[in-house]
Short mmCIF file of all heavy atoms in Angstrom, two decimals:
data_model
loop_
_atom_site.label_atom_id
_atom_site.label_comp_id
_atom_site.label_asym_id
_atom_site.label_seq_id
_atom_site.Cartn_x
_atom_site.Cartn_y
_atom_site.Cartn_z
N GLN A 660 50.91 20.47 -133.91
CA GLN A 660 49.69 19.72 -134.15
C GLN A 660 49.87 18.21 -133.89
O GLN A 660 48.99 17.58 -133.32
CB GLN A 660 49.24 19.94 -135.59
CG GLN A 660 47.84 19.45 -135.85
CD GLN A 660 47.42 19.71 -137.30
OE1 GLN A 660 48.06 20.48 -138.02
NE2 GLN A 660 46.36 19.06 -137.72
N TYR A 661 51.00 17.67 -134.35
CA TYR A 661 51.15 16.20 -134.31
C TYR A 661 52.18 15.72 -133.29
O TYR A 661 52.26 14.51 -133.03
CB TYR A 661 51.55 15.68 -135.69
CG TYR A 661 50.52 15.94 -136.76
CD1 TYR A 661 50.64 17.01 -137.63
CD2 TYR A 661 49.42 15.09 -136.88
CE1 TYR A 661 49.69 17.25 -138.61
CE2 TYR A 661 48.46 15.32 -137.86
CZ TYR A 661 48.61 16.41 -138.72
OH TYR A 661 47.66 16.62 -139.69
N GLY A 662 53.01 16.61 -132.80
CA GLY A 662 54.07 16.19 -131.89
C GLY A 662 55.33 15.81 -132.65
O GLY A 662 55.29 15.53 -133.84
N ALA A 663 56.44 15.82 -131.93
CA ALA A 663 57.74 15.59 -132.55
C ALA A 663 57.84 14.19 -133.15
O ALA A 663 58.41 14.01 -134.23
CB ALA A 663 58.85 15.80 -131.52
N ASP A 664 57.31 13.19 -132.47
CA ASP A 664 57.52 11.82 -132.92
C ASP A 664 56.87 11.54 -134.26
O ASP A 664 57.45 10.87 -135.12
CB ASP A 664 57.00 10.83 -131.87
CG ASP A 664 57.89 10.79 -130.64
OD1 ASP A 664 59.05 11.21 -130.74
OD2 ASP A 664 57.41 10.32 -129.59
N ALA A 665 55.66 12.06 -134.47
CA ALA A 665 54.98 11.83 -135.75
C ALA A 665 55.77 12.48 -136.88
O ALA A 665 55.92 11.91 -137.96
CB ALA A 665 53.55 12.38 -135.71
N VAL A 666 56.31 13.67 -136.62
CA VAL A 666 57.11 14.36 -137.63
C VAL A 666 58.38 13.56 -137.93
O VAL A 666 58.75 13.34 -139.09
CB VAL A 666 57.45 15.79 -137.18
CG1 VAL A 666 58.37 16.47 -138.18
CG2 VAL A 666 56.17 16.60 -137.00
N ARG A 667 59.04 13.11 -136.89
CA ARG A 667 60.26 12.32 -137.07
C ARG A 667 59.96 11.05 -137.84
O ARG A 667 60.70 10.68 -138.76
CB ARG A 667 60.86 11.97 -135.69
CG ARG A 667 61.38 13.16 -134.91
CD ARG A 667 61.66 12.79 -133.45
NE ARG A 667 62.66 11.74 -133.37
CZ ARG A 667 63.90 11.92 -132.91
NH1 ARG A 667 64.28 13.09 -132.45
NH2 ARG A 667 64.76 10.92 -132.89
N TRP A 668 58.89 10.38 -137.48
CA TRP A 668 58.52 9.12 -138.14
C TRP A 668 58.26 9.34 -139.63
O TRP A 668 58.72 8.58 -140.48
CB TRP A 668 57.28 8.54 -137.46
CG TRP A 668 56.89 7.17 -137.92
CD1 TRP A 668 55.88 6.87 -138.78
CD2 TRP A 668 57.49 5.93 -137.55
NE1 TRP A 668 55.82 5.51 -138.97
CE2 TRP A 668 56.80 4.91 -138.23
CE3 TRP A 668 58.57 5.57 -136.72
CZ2 TRP A 668 57.14 3.56 -138.11
CZ3 TRP A 668 58.89 4.23 -136.59
CH2 TRP A 668 58.19 3.24 -137.29
N PHE A 669 57.56 10.43 -139.93
CA PHE A 669 57.28 10.73 -141.33
C PHE A 669 58.58 10.95 -142.11
O PHE A 669 58.72 10.48 -143.25
CB PHE A 669 56.40 11.98 -141.44
CG PHE A 669 56.11 12.37 -142.87
CD1 PHE A 669 55.15 11.70 -143.59
CD2 PHE A 669 56.84 13.37 -143.50
CE1 PHE A 669 54.90 12.02 -144.92
CE2 PHE A 669 56.60 13.69 -144.82
CZ PHE A 669 55.62 13.02 -145.53
N MET A 670 59.53 11.64 -141.49
CA MET A 670 60.79 11.94 -142.17
C MET A 670 61.57 10.68 -142.53
O MET A 670 62.41 10.68 -143.41
CB MET A 670 61.66 12.82 -141.26
CG MET A 670 61.13 14.23 -141.11
SD MET A 670 61.30 15.09 -142.67
CE MET A 670 59.81 16.06 -142.68
N LEU A 671 61.30 9.60 -141.79
CA LEU A 671 62.06 8.36 -141.99
C LEU A 671 61.31 7.37 -142.88
O LEU A 671 61.90 6.41 -143.36
CB LEU A 671 62.31 7.71 -140.62
CG LEU A 671 63.09 8.58 -139.63
CD1 LEU A 671 62.96 8.01 -138.23
CD2 LEU A 671 64.55 8.67 -140.04
N SER A 672 60.01 7.60 -143.06
CA SER A 672 59.17 6.62 -143.76
C SER A 672 59.27 6.74 -145.26
O SER A 672 59.69 7.77 -145.79
CB SER A 672 57.70 6.83 -143.37
OG SER A 672 57.56 6.81 -141.98
N ASP A 673 58.83 5.70 -145.90
CA ASP A 673 58.58 5.69 -147.34
C ASP A 673 59.79 5.88 -148.23
O ASP A 673 60.29 4.95 -148.82
CB ASP A 673 57.50 6.71 -147.73
CG ASP A 673 56.13 6.29 -147.23
OD1 ASP A 673 56.01 5.14 -146.77
OD2 ASP A 673 55.20 7.09 -147.29
#
Side-chain angles (χ1 to χ4, degrees):
Chain A
Q660 192 179 346
Y661 298 98
D664 288 341
V666 175
R667 294 167 60 110
W668 187 257
F669 178 79
M670 289 291 143
L671 301 165
S672 307
D673 290 350

